[in-house]
Amino acid sequence: MVTHSKWFWLAALASAWFADFLFWGKAPGISFPIWILVVLLVGFVLSWRTGSRPSLWTILLAVLTVGFAVAETFRVNAMVNFASLVMVAGGLVLITATFLNGNWTHFRMVDYLVEGVKVVWAGFSRPFQTFSQPPALPEGQPAPRSFWRKAAPILRGILIAIPVVAVFAALFSSADPVFSNWLQRIFNLEKLPEYILRLVLILILAFWLVGMFLHAILPAAKAERPDPAKPWMKPFLGSTESTILLGAVNLLFIAFVIIQVRYLFGGTANISETGFTYSEYARRGFSELVAVAALSLVLFLVLSTITRIEKPGQRWTFTGLIILLMANVLVILASSLQRLMLYETAYGFSELRTVTHVFIFWLAALVAAAAVMEGVQQRGRFALALLIAVVGFSASLVLLNVDGFTARKNIERAVQGEEFDAAYLTTLSSDAVPALVTAYKDPSLSSQIHDALGLTLACRTVDQQDATPQPWQSYHFGLAQEAKLLQENADLLSQVKLFRDDRGFYYGMWNGEKLYCGRAGFMD
């Protein structure tokens, strides 16, 4: 039987009820980081209660996890929020898996997968251990009453009393309408199904939290620190086969790189003579090149795991071919970035293009790290490098403000005389509003761009007018900043005329055409 089980259940039930209080019937907002912080603090208190001590690496993970949870209340962009949410979920899993030992810094790729599965399984299996019988005591020594043995009579009494009291309450309600109205006001019987559903969800969440707390603080077995240099499976592929494969791939990559150097890096004339325009050449194959870079890393991982190397010469040959492969991949990524920049020059910026821009730099950093680790014979650290790259990529999106960056770049492009896609700006999230307001108040802007920004901001004032008041749990810093800026510039924006068509869509007139609010399509 698990010791201190009553404290685990009380903490889990309190955390689950708090989640119901924060989230039920409310839009997510500041409630999300509050709940994540509370759950982590509860875990640290339980560890102190049981005499366990978390690793310093666990404290670092907790800080990062709370940081990404807070980011959810500052950014509105869906891709950025999804990345932050994944970081929060991953952080909680790693904290649960390595709370006492901080072994995540030594994990290999397979260890992350195995420990993640263990955490999920513990959430469903460990709570049952709190119901098991205590060990037998010497004869004549009275067994202490467990928490559940103390609580069982109370729970049985409540379960027996509920139907009996309900019958008498129904009879009293039929006999006296005043009593019936009083009972209705107190218990709000119309919401009884909702209350039952919420109670069930609270119990399910509490059950799962008990499993998480137990797995983190009172693990079933002491975890051994994995050795990153030790392969998780026995190599079976000969070095000759791997050498031929890597050599063939490198030859193909070198041929592609030579063509890229001549055409993509050689100027417009070299591309034009092939029959393609700059924008066509830029767009064609961009995603394929990024896929090639990603698959090259997979090839590196697979071959370094399954290749059987027995002699120093085989080791140096394998290492040299891997480093050459990573060098080729870096050139291919440079080609991808060049294509993306040409594409942005021709068609402007979008959310996806901005995210891809950031992704390429972090992928290139990971490729370079793989080459260095292979050179110093530390390829087992690749999993940690990948984790750092993923965290860095997600943090970069939060700090960059994707929509604000996209709006600024498109406005700068329009100032330089390029085509201005005003309709696309209306589809950006609230994160873009500070950049839009700053540009709108810039007296040096042309009237055409100024009018387009005015329509874009006026569309957002309509959304603000239609918004319903939200409870404090739904407070969002990004949305609050948007509302504040629009309110501060309400007089200026009131001069912009908006119309409403027969379908209820708002639009304004720009360049003699209707500019609908938030009606632009998806941009890749």
Side-chain angles (χ1 to χ4, degrees):
M1 183 178 179
V2 176
T3 58
H4 306 284
S5 61
K6 65 178 180 181
W7 296 110
F8 281 88
W9 275 100
L10 289 174
L13 285 169
S15 300
W17 171 84
F18 194 50
D20 175 84
F21 169 73
L22 290 174
F23 300 116
W24 184 266
K26 308 174 186 72
I30 197 174
S31 54
F32 182 66
I34 288 177
W35 190 73
I36 295 297
L37 177 61
V38 166
V39 170
L40 290 174
L41 289 177
V42 167
F44 283 114
V45 171
L46 284 174
S47 70
W48 169 79
R49 176 78 188 182
T50 58
S52 303
R53 293 295 178 266
S55 165
L56 291 178
W57 291 113
T58 297
I59 297 175
L60 173 62
L61 270 182
V63 172
L64 289 174
T65 301
V66 173
F68 278 109
V70 171
E72 292 278 330
T73 68
F74 280 91
R75 296 289 177 250
V76 185
N77 180 277
M79 286 187 285
V80 176
N81 281 346
F82 176 76
S84 298
L85 188 62
V86 170
M87 291 298 99
V88 172
L92 292 177
V93 169
L94 284 181
I95 289 172
T96 305
T98 62
F99 185 83
L100 300 178
N101 49 56
N103 284 344
W104 61 271
T105 57
H106 291 72
F107 278 177
R108 301 157 296 184
M109 296 294 293
V110 68
D111 295 320
Y112 283 108
L113 178 61
V114 171
E115 293 301 323
V117 172
K118 287 182 179 179
V119 168
V120 174
W121 174 247
F124 297 103
S125 61
R126 290 297 302 274
F128 289 106
Q129 297 178 6
T130 62
F131 304 127
S132 60
Q133 293 293 329
L137 296 174
E139 185 177 355
Q141 181 175 345
R145 298 186 68 189
S146 67
F147 170 73
W148 292 112
R149 293 185 64 182
K150 295 177 182 178
I154 299 175
L155 294 175
R156 286 196 298 267
I158 293 175
L159 292 176
I160 295 173
I162 287 176
V164 175
V165 172
V167 170
F168 284 114
L171 292 174
F172 284 138
S173 297
S174 299
D176 190 335
V178 175
F179 180 80
S180 177
N181 292 335
W182 176 81
L183 198 64
Q184 182 70 30
R185 286 197 304 271
I186 293 179
F187 293 102
N188 198 359
L189 299 180
E190 293 180 356
K191 289 191 174 183
L192 184 59
E194 175 189 320
Y195 294 150
I196 294 175
L197 174 62
R198 292 170 68 175
L199 177 61
V200 170
L201 293 177
I202 289 174
L203 293 176
I204 292 174
L205 179 58
F207 185 88
W208 179 78
L209 286 174
V210 167
M212 297 295 99
F213 289 143
L214 287 174
H215 186 74
I217 301 169
L218 299 176
K222 183 179 179 180
E224 298 294 334
R225 173 165 290 180
D227 182 5
K230 183 179 180 181
W232 62 273
M233 63 177 296
K234 185 177 181 180
F236 59 87
L237 186 67
S239 61
T240 301
E241 292 89 336
S242 293
T243 299
I244 293 174
L245 174 57
L246 286 173
V249 171
N250 273 307
L251 286 176
L252 176 63
F253 280 24
I254 290 172
F256 183 82
V257 166
I258 292 173
I259 295 175
Q260 294 298 291
V261 170
R262 178 185 176 187
Y263 288 103
L264 192 57
F265 302 126
T268 309
N270 289 329
I271 294 178
S272 300
E273 71 181 22
T274 63
F276 294 105
T277 65
Y278 229 42
S279 59
E280 288 172 340
Y281 196 86
R283 179 167 184 172
R284 184 169 180 175
F286 166 74
S287 58
E288 287 83 351
L289 293 183
V290 176
V292 165
L295 288 175
S296 298
L297 287 175
V298 174
L299 180 64
F300 159 68
L301 285 175
V302 172
L303 289 181
S304 61
T305 301
I306 68 175
T307 300
R308 188 176 62 253
I309 298 176
E310 300 170 341
K311 299 178 181 179
Q314 295 174 347
R315 165 63 57 201
W316 289 114
T317 301
F318 182 85
T319 297
L321 289 173
I322 287 293
I323 293 176
L324 178 60
L325 176 64
M326 295 298 107
N328 286 325
V329 171
L330 288 175
V331 177
I332 290 173
L333 283 175
S335 172
S336 301
L337 180 61
Q338 184 76 359
R339 289 171 184 253
L340 180 60
M341 294 171 66
L342 293 175
Y343 195 33
E344 291 165 345
T345 300
Y347 299 107
F349 283 73
S350 70
E351 296 171 83
L352 183 59
R353 294 168 202 165
T354 302
V355 171
T356 307
H357 228 121
V358 179
F359 175 76
I360 287 178
F361 283 104
W362 280 103
L363 182 58
L366 183 60
V367 170
V372 171
M373 287 184 289
E374 178 62 34
V376 298
Q377 302 300 306
Q378 291 290 329
R379 69 174 66 95
R381 295 289 184 178
F382 180 81
L384 181 60
L386 176 60
L387 178 63
I388 294 173
V390 171
V391 173
F393 168 68
S394 302
S396 298
L397 296 183
V398 173
L399 298 175
L400 176 64
N401 184 358
V402 171
D403 285 350
F405 177 85
T406 301
R408 285 194 302 273
K409 287 298 181 180
N410 280 307
I411 294 171
E412 292 172 3
R413 184 172 175 273
V415 170
Q416 295 171 1
E418 299 292 339
E419 183 181 356
F420 187 45
D421 191 353
Y424 178 68
L425 293 184
T426 65
T427 66
L428 296 177
S429 73
S430 303
D431 296 339
V433 170
L436 295 175
V437 169
T438 300
Y440 182 65
K441 298 170 71 173
D442 184 356
S444 64
L445 280 184
S446 66
S447 59
Q448 183 189 34
I449 301 176
H450 182 270
D451 293 344
L453 294 178
L455 285 175
T456 300
L457 293 170
C459 285
R460 297 178 183 275
T461 61
V462 173
D463 296 334
Q464 289 290 324
Q465 294 170 1
D466 296 338
T468 56
Q470 297 291 328
W472 68 266
Q473 292 95 329
S474 300
Y475 182 84
H476 193 286
F477 291 102
L479 296 176
Q481 184 184 32
E482 177 190 33
K484 178 182 178 182
L485 289 173
L486 293 177
Q487 181 62 35
E488 290 175 350
N489 296 275
D491 294 339
L492 192 60
L493 295 174
S494 64
Q495 303 172 16
V496 181
K497 292 184 179 180
L498 289 180
F499 307 93
R500 193 173 185 177
D501 63 13
D502 53 0
R503 297 170 297 173
F505 297 131
Y506 286 93
Y507 67 91
M509 298 303 299
W510 183 66
N511 286 350
E513 298 180 356
K514 291 182 179 180
L515 184 92
Y516 278 92
C517 297
R519 301 290 293 172
F522 173 78
M523 291 182 66
D524 62 5

